[in-house]
């Protein structure tokens, strides 16, 4: 067995000591998320707790209009959220889609993973599950997002394929366990019932403790056709660094559909050696990284220009 096979996880070398803790997240708001995760990780908390709590902070921030509370509503003025979580230690996953009235969908996704026999719940069934498990029914529409929706209605300008973001987060704890998660209110003013990539395992996120994990953000209608997070982890398994793995995945997407250059698609990745990567179809995608020594926002170059 070669060193690269061992390092990429093909050898399943349980002796190998990961150099955690570490965290990476999408967008500028990811800095708050990774710093929240980092606090948990530095105190010896689990990668899974770090993902959930890091994402909760963004879900509860009313000023973020693409995630959880304060997220932009669908065309009917109702906020529908999607979220998913994956535990590298157990290779279990849970997700919710088209969920209404719950401020922290990532926590419901975790409950689906840990306390149900299922992996994914949608719509009214997901809401009933959340209520049964003690989650409060709440108003997700803030005055600000309601005003934006009303302005959109007056313009009657159709679906806006540029109004969206996701908090995607990947963590590595001191024990060498990893987790990934994502949460979004999806496309602003979407058709009711529309679901993007975020709650789909392999598309919006993926995790394998032997290798590492990835999370995606951008136009879900295109992302989910490429299973890009699964692909990125498989590139890492085959020896690519997280940066090169993200770049290869974005390259694959652009090779197959060059018109996706006009579409925002971005990936973040972290491997079990605490190495980071990110790439995007368009320039200047911001992502946040955290280690015990450092917390900062970096930017990709975009397209085929992303460099190490
Ligand atoms: N991927 C999300 C969705 O399509 C939105 C985003 O990340 O920008 O729902």
């Amino acid at each position: 067995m070669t060193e690269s096979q061992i390092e990429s996880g093909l050898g399943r070398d349980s002796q190998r000591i990961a150099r955690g803790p570490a965290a990476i997240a999408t967008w500028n708001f990811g800095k708050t998320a990774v710093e929240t995760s980092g606090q948990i990780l530095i105190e010896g908390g689990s990668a899974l707790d770090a993902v959930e709590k890091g994402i909760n902070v963004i879900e509860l921030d009313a000023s973020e209009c693409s995630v959880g509370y304060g997220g932009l509503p669908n065309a009917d003025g109702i906020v529908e959220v999607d979220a998913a979580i994956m535990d590298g230690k157990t290779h279990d996953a849970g997700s919710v889609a088209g969920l209404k009235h719950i401020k922290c969908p990532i926590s419901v996704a975790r409950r689906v993973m840990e306390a149900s026999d299922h992996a994914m719940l949608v719509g009214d069934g997901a809401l009933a599950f959340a209520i049964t498990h003690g989650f409060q029914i709440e108003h997700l529409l803030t005055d600000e997002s309601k005003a934006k929706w009303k302005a959109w209605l007056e313009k009657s300008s159709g679906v806006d394929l540029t109004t969206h973001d996701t908090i995607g987060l990947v963590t590595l704890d001191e024990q060498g366990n990893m987790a990934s998660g994502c949460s979004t209110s999806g496309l602003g003013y979407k058709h009711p019932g529309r679901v993007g990539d975020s709650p789909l395992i392999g598309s919006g996120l993926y995790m394998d403790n032997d290798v590492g994990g990835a999370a995606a953000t951008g136009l879900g209608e295109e992302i989910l056709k490429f299973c890009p997070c699964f692909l990125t982890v498989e590139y890492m398994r085959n020896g690519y660094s997280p940066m090169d793995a993200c770049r290869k995945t974005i390259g694959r997407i652009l090779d197959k559909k060059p018109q996706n250059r006009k579409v925002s698609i971005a990936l973040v990745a972290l491997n079990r050696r605490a190495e980071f990567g990110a790439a995007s179809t368009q320039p200047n995608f911001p992502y946040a990284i955290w280690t015990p020594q450092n917390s900062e926002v970096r930017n990709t170059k975009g397209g085929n220009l992303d460099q190490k």
Side-chain angles (χ1 to χ4, degrees):
M1 187 177 302
T2 66
E3 178 65 10
S4 77
Q5 281 175 316
I6 293 170
E7 289 184 359
S8 67
L10 285 177
R12 299 183 187 276
D13 175 9
S14 59
Q15 303 300 310
R16 188 170 178 81
I17 297 169
R19 285 184 283 155
I24 186 167
T26 54
W27 302 110
N28 286 308
F29 55 51
K31 189 158 188 286
T32 308
V34 293
E35 287 172 356
T36 303
S37 297
Q39 193 58 41
I40 291 165
L41 295 169
I42 209 94
E43 289 166 5
S46 72
L48 198 60
D49 284 343
V51 159
E52 181 188 4
K53 302 303 173 204
I55 289 177
N56 283 161
V57 175
I58 311 303
E59 290 175 327
L60 292 170
D61 183 346
S63 70
E64 294 304 342
C65 65
S66 54
V67 180
Y69 178 52
L72 289 174
N74 65 21
D76 292 343
I78 297 168
V79 182
E80 291 181 321
V81 294
D82 304 329
I85 193 163
M86 190 156 186
D87 181 2
K89 191 174 172 186
T90 59
H91 209 74
D92 282 335
S95 77
V96 289
L99 177 64
K100 298 171 189 162
H101 310 309
I102 303 291
K103 276 186 176 172
C104 290
I106 192 74
S107 297
V108 184
R110 181 171 179 178
R111 205 64 72 87
V112 170
M113 176 175 76
E114 293 180 335
S116 84
D117 295 325
H118 309 298
M120 183 176 195
L121 294 176
V122 305
D124 291 346
L127 178 59
F129 174 86
I131 292 167
T132 302
H133 285 264
F135 290 86
Q136 298 295 311
I137 292 198
E138 300 186 83
H139 288 293
L140 301 192
L141 198 62
T142 57
D143 288 347
E144 197 188 345
S145 49
K146 191 173 182 177
K148 285 182 183 166
W149 170 66
K150 284 197 161 163
W152 172 82
L153 270 185
E154 275 160 28
K155 279 196 292 178
S156 61
S157 45
V159 176
D160 181 354
L161 292 178
T162 62
T163 308
H164 52 84
D165 280 341
T166 295
I167 175 65
L169 178 57
V170 186
T171 59
L172 166 67
D173 67 26
E174 280 179 348
Q175 285 70 45
N177 291 314
M178 300 191 72
S180 59
C182 55
S183 182
T184 185
S185 50
L187 274 183
Y189 326 121
K190 62 194 174 188
H191 193 290
R194 177 268 187 192
V195 174
D197 58 300
S198 301
L200 304 181
I201 308 304
S203 286
L205 79 173
Y206 196 67
M207 172 53 63
D208 186 329
N209 237 25
D210 294 335
V211 181
T217 182
L219 185 63
E221 277 71 6
E222 284 306 307
I223 295 172
L224 62 76
K225 294 164 188 162
F226 292 91
C227 297
C229 291
F230 177 76
L231 183 59
T232 299
V233 170
E234 294 309 298
Y235 280 136
M236 292 196 286
R237 190 189 307 278
N238 287 318
Y240 287 97
S241 68
M243 189 65 79
D244 285 343
C246 289
R247 292 173 66 198
K248 278 185 75 67
T249 301
I250 293 292
R252 171 83 70 89
I253 291 169
L254 294 176
D255 284 349
K256 180 63 76 178
K257 285 181 91 171
Q259 61 271 39
N260 274 341
R261 256 173 224 293
K262 295 186 185 138
V263 169
S264 169
I265 298 174
L267 297 166
V268 294
L270 175 66
N271 68 12
R272 61 194 295 245
R273 300 165 66 195
E275 295 169 334
F276 300 103
S280 54
T281 51
Q282 297 182 333
N284 297 320
F285 161 65
Y287 62 100
I289 62 164
W290 177 91
T291 66
Q293 296 76 36
N294 186 29
S295 163
E296 65 176 296
V297 172
R298 295 180 179 172
N299 287 276
T300 60
K301 292 187 178 173
N304 295 333
L305 298 174
D306 280 312
Q307 300 295 323
K308 279 184 188 172

